[in-house]
Amino acid sequence: MHILITNDDGIGAPGLKALVGALLEHGRDLELSVVAPEGEQSGAAHAVTVRRPVLVAPVDWPGVTVAYAVDGTPVDCVKLSEALLAEKPDLILSGINRGVNLGTDVLYSGTVGAAIEGALLGCRAIALSVANGPAGPRFATAAACALELIDRLRAERDAPQAGRGVPADLLLNVNVPDRPAEQLAGWRVTRLGVRRYREAYHRREDPRGRQYFWIAGTPDDIDRDPRTDAQALAQGYVSLTPLQFDLTRYSALESLADWERRGRP
Ligand code: MN
């Protein structure tokens, strides 16, 4: 299985290194390629670089087939992989992100943006994030989850489940709680909840008296449904949310059908 690994924290990020290290050490029959942003791109969502050239630098990374640092966004990395890799990968893994990507926050996430781009290109793709606890993110727990997911995908490939197979463009948003792997409560298949932020900006003043703002804030998961990603995480479960990129609001198609008639109502 050929896996393309990318992220939004940058190619030097400890989460990316932990993921590649764990897959090299414990993965069976894996071929790994890394195409990741040169610097941090958190919050880049689905941005693509269009107004300047994108520089690509090969990186020496023992054990991986190819590794490149890209002077662009996470989505640039996945799009560029078509030009940089000899073949289409079987799976795109984006992460391990430092901090969770829950609920409506997936709309801002570069980690999730890269995974969505992978699915757009027809690959199975997983965005993998881990809670940033008081002692820092437990990348080892998240890497163990990645290995389990890869085994599951491989089992599905070798013995497809008739009638309920995994979609060819499976897109999963995975969040891992702040626990050692052996203390995880289990896995939950969830839906996205709704996150709001309290005190979202800090207002400051610079030495010249100009005001400026820093994004900050405390997340508030206002959706208390136990089937949401945030509630699963709060109970110690790994959350798996299947995503799709078709944003069409199908329920409104019929009510707007009349608007196709020209002229005033
Ligand atoms: Mn990030």
Side-chain angles (χ1 to χ4, degrees):
M1 188 188 282
H2 185 184
I3 303 178
L4 168 63
I5 296 170
T6 189
N7 73 348
D8 79 354
D9 293 338
I11 197 157
L16 184 84
K17 287 183 177 163
L19 179 60
V20 173
L23 298 190
L24 285 175
E25 192 177 346
H26 303 292
R28 288 179 296 115
D29 306 320
L30 298 181
E31 181 187 346
L32 306 180
S33 297
V34 179
V35 182
E38 180 186 78
E40 173 151 4
Q41 291 282 326
S42 293
H46 214 89
V48 65
T49 304
V50 289
R51 290 174 57 85
R52 60 171 180 84
V54 177
L55 295 174
V56 173
V59 173
D60 186 36
W61 199 320
V64 310
T65 303
V66 291
Y68 293 99
V70 174
D71 165 35
T73 67
V75 168
D76 288 334
C77 294
V78 176
K79 287 176 86 70
L80 268 167
S81 72
E82 285 197 305
L84 296 171
L85 305 190
E87 56 175 22
K88 189 163 129 176
D90 302 298
L91 174 68
I92 293 177
L93 261 176
S94 179
I96 304 165
N97 190 62
R98 182 180 199 268
V100 291
N101 278 302
L102 293 170
T104 27
D105 275 0
V106 302
L107 294 171
Y108 310 105
S109 166
T111 305
V112 177
I116 292 174
E117 187 62 26
L120 280 169
L121 297 179
C123 286
R124 288 177 172 170
I126 296 173
L128 180 59
S129 307
V130 66
N132 194 5
R138 293 180 197 262
F139 294 123
T141 305
C145 293
L147 284 158
E148 250 188 84
L149 287 164
I150 289 165
D151 279 348
R152 192 166 272 281
L153 285 172
R154 200 194 320 255
E156 213 280 332
R157 184 194 62 189
D158 297 343
Q161 304 262 318
R164 44 185 280 252
V166 178
D169 58 352
L170 177 74
L171 172 58
L172 275 184
N173 186 40
V174 179
N175 282 281
V176 178
D178 181 33
R179 289 191 177 193
E182 60 277 10
Q183 287 174 28
L184 292 172
W187 298 72
R188 277 274 181 272
V189 179
T190 59
R191 66 173 181 83
L192 296 178
V194 178
R195 283 209 132 180
R196 292 279 150 73
Y197 283 84
R198 280 176 281 117
E199 293 157 39
Y201 283 90
H202 288 178
R203 185 197 296 263
R204 307 256 175 88
E205 201 174 89
D206 80 2
R208 293 178 185 174
R210 298 172 301 192
Q211 65 172 348
Y212 65 95
F213 294 84
W214 266 22
I215 194 162
T218 315
D220 192 1
D221 292 298
I222 59 175
D223 191 337
R224 300 288 173 186
D225 180 345
R227 297 312 305 190
T228 60
D229 49 2
Q231 297 305 320
L233 222 72
Q235 289 161 26
Y237 289 90
V238 178
S239 164
L240 304 181
T241 310
L243 302 180
Q244 59 189 357
F245 42 77
D246 180 352
L247 297 177
T248 310
R249 187 170 188 176
Y250 287 96
S251 62
L253 286 177
E254 204 172 324
S255 59
L256 291 172
D258 213 32
W259 291 28
E260 289 185 355
R261 266 191 283 156
R262 307 289 304 277
R264 296 191 162 200

